[in-house]
Amino acid sequence: MRKELEEKALWLTRELLRRFWQLDIEYALSLCANNVMWVAPEQNRYMRGIDAMRADLEENLKELVPCRQSQQEYTVVQNCGRALSIIGRYIVTTDAGASVFARVQQRMQIIWELIDGELRIRSLYISHPRNELPVASGESFCNVIGRAAKRYLDDRTADKTDQHRVEIYDREGTMHLVAPMDVTLVEAVGKRSRLSLAYGSFETRASFGEAVAVFPHLMKVHRSYVVNPERIHAVDQTSIIMEGNERVPLPKARRAEVMQRIRALADGELD
């Protein structure tokens, strides 16, 4: 396929995905061939034909909220005459005003084909983070995207956090060397504190105030909790869900402030 058509296919790919994450499925459908192959994230959703794809999207996109993209990377991996294949990855973050918060890495693949002089989608795969968002009881989705998101967040945390380790003593007097990036949250427990880490938790000899002072990168979300913003998994109406599915209560009076800070971090506005 000629260079100008390759560049057009890349532009169309970017525009399709931008609109898709704003829940505009009509634009994507308008670019598809009638016998398009729609490869959905779940293993049992693999179908051919634009009518089947439309019905599937209309049903399943009801469970998503609008998102915006960042850190997009798209690559033409094959260009052979009348067809080319594009793969990509990017971060999606739920829009401001959404009832939940999630920030996860996603992937896509499109096969474009020149049909009657027009670029049309022959095959389309777009992952989406439904497993990262709170779902109703009885629903279940694959965990692959969650693990990819965790690796991304861990890498980003490592880049931003001082890698020195802090001496913390548990109730029995055992010294633990703790890397700040590994801290998930600190909870007040009576006159002491509980330290939750990526690999476990323990009660410390330190008071809540002393523990908070040791980890200044943590964010106060409740009078008894501070959390690592980089290890927030999702936010619902009443709580923050941390990595490992530990829930932290989120008072209504603090929700707007907490959501603003989380979104600023997600957009790279906080160091």
Side-chain angles (χ1 to χ4, degrees), residues 6 20 26 46 76 80 97 103 130 147 184 249 270:
E6 180 178 302
F20 178 88
E26 291 301 325
Y46 180 85
V76 175
C80 50
R103 178 177 171 83
R130 294 190 303 173
R147 290 196 294 270
T184 300
L270 297 179

Short mmCIF file of all heavy atoms in Angstrom, two decimals, residues 6 20 26 46 76 80 97 103 130 147 184 249 270:
data_model
loop_
_atom_site.label_atom_id
_atom_site.label_comp_id
_atom_site.label_asym_id
_atom_site.label_seq_id
_atom_site.Cartn_x
_atom_site.Cartn_y
_atom_site.Cartn_z
N GLU A 6 -0.90 4.53 3.71
CA GLU A 6 -0.46 4.07 5.03
C GLU A 6 -0.65 5.16 6.06
O GLU A 6 -1.14 4.92 7.18
CB GLU A 6 1.00 3.65 4.96
CG GLU A 6 1.56 3.15 6.28
CD GLU A 6 3.00 2.69 6.17
OE1 GLU A 6 3.26 1.79 5.35
OE2 GLU A 6 3.86 3.24 6.91
N PHE A 20 -14.07 5.86 19.69
CA PHE A 20 -14.51 4.63 20.36
C PHE A 20 -14.52 4.82 21.87
O PHE A 20 -15.47 4.41 22.56
CB PHE A 20 -13.60 3.47 19.98
CG PHE A 20 -13.93 2.18 20.66
CD1 PHE A 20 -14.85 1.30 20.12
CD2 PHE A 20 -13.31 1.82 21.87
CE1 PHE A 20 -15.16 0.09 20.75
CE2 PHE A 20 -13.61 0.63 22.51
CZ PHE A 20 -14.54 -0.24 21.94
N GLU A 26 -20.55 4.31 16.03
CA GLU A 26 -21.00 4.47 14.65
C GLU A 26 -19.83 4.79 13.72
O GLU A 26 -19.78 4.34 12.58
CB GLU A 26 -22.07 5.56 14.55
CG GLU A 26 -23.39 5.18 15.19
CD GLU A 26 -24.00 3.92 14.56
OE1 GLU A 26 -23.84 3.74 13.34
OE2 GLU A 26 -24.62 3.14 15.30
N TYR A 46 -16.18 -13.70 19.39
CA TYR A 46 -15.36 -13.73 18.18
C TYR A 46 -16.34 -13.91 17.03
O TYR A 46 -16.93 -14.98 16.88
CB TYR A 46 -14.38 -14.89 18.28
CG TYR A 46 -13.43 -15.09 17.13
CD1 TYR A 46 -12.24 -14.38 17.08
CD2 TYR A 46 -13.71 -15.99 16.11
CE1 TYR A 46 -11.34 -14.57 16.03
CE2 TYR A 46 -12.83 -16.19 15.07
CZ TYR A 46 -11.64 -15.48 15.03
OH TYR A 46 -10.75 -15.67 14.01
N VAL A 76 2.79 0.21 12.11
CA VAL A 76 2.41 -0.61 10.96
C VAL A 76 3.34 -1.82 10.95
O VAL A 76 4.55 -1.68 10.75
CB VAL A 76 2.54 0.18 9.64
CG1 VAL A 76 2.26 -0.73 8.44
CG2 VAL A 76 1.59 1.37 9.64
N CYS A 80 1.31 -5.04 2.72
CA CYS A 80 1.52 -5.93 1.57
C CYS A 80 0.47 -5.65 0.50
O CYS A 80 -0.62 -6.22 0.51
CB CYS A 80 1.50 -7.39 1.98
SG CYS A 80 0.09 -7.88 2.98
N GLY A 97 -15.82 13.52 35.94
CA GLY A 97 -17.26 13.45 36.14
C GLY A 97 -17.81 12.05 36.12
O GLY A 97 -18.98 11.85 36.46
N ARG A 103 -7.42 3.80 35.38
CA ARG A 103 -6.37 4.21 34.44
C ARG A 103 -5.59 2.96 34.11
O ARG A 103 -4.91 2.40 34.97
CB ARG A 103 -5.46 5.27 35.06
CG ARG A 103 -4.31 5.70 34.15
CD ARG A 103 -3.52 6.81 34.83
NE ARG A 103 -2.30 7.14 34.13
CZ ARG A 103 -2.22 7.97 33.09
NH1 ARG A 103 -3.33 8.54 32.64
NH2 ARG A 103 -1.06 8.24 32.51
N ARG A 130 -13.09 -3.39 31.26
CA ARG A 130 -14.28 -3.64 32.09
C ARG A 130 -13.91 -4.36 33.37
O ARG A 130 -14.54 -4.18 34.41
CB ARG A 130 -15.30 -4.45 31.30
CG ARG A 130 -15.86 -3.70 30.11
CD ARG A 130 -17.03 -4.43 29.51
NE ARG A 130 -16.65 -5.78 29.12
CZ ARG A 130 -17.53 -6.68 28.69
NH1 ARG A 130 -18.81 -6.37 28.63
NH2 ARG A 130 -17.14 -7.88 28.32
N ARG A 147 -3.28 -7.21 34.95
CA ARG A 147 -1.86 -7.46 35.20
C ARG A 147 -0.99 -6.53 34.38
O ARG A 147 0.03 -6.04 34.86
CB ARG A 147 -1.54 -8.92 34.91
CG ARG A 147 -2.16 -9.90 35.90
CD ARG A 147 -1.51 -11.26 35.80
NE ARG A 147 -1.78 -11.90 34.52
CZ ARG A 147 -2.83 -12.70 34.31
NH1 ARG A 147 -3.70 -12.92 35.28
NH2 ARG A 147 -3.02 -13.27 33.13
N THR A 184 1.29 0.44 49.98
CA THR A 184 -0.05 0.63 49.41
C THR A 184 -0.84 1.64 50.23
O THR A 184 -1.43 2.57 49.70
CB THR A 184 -0.80 -0.71 49.35
OG1 THR A 184 -0.07 -1.62 48.53
CG2 THR A 184 -2.20 -0.53 48.78
N PRO A 249 -12.32 3.48 53.11
CA PRO A 249 -13.52 4.33 53.07
C PRO A 249 -13.20 5.73 52.54
O PRO A 249 -12.16 6.30 52.85
CB PRO A 249 -13.96 4.38 54.54
CG PRO A 249 -12.75 4.02 55.34
CD PRO A 249 -11.97 3.07 54.48
N LEU A 270 1.13 16.00 38.68
CA LEU A 270 1.77 15.93 39.99
C LEU A 270 3.05 15.11 39.86
O LEU A 270 3.08 14.10 39.19
CB LEU A 270 0.84 15.24 41.00
CG LEU A 270 -0.49 15.96 41.29
CD1 LEU A 270 -1.30 15.15 42.28
CD2 LEU A 270 -0.26 17.36 41.81
#
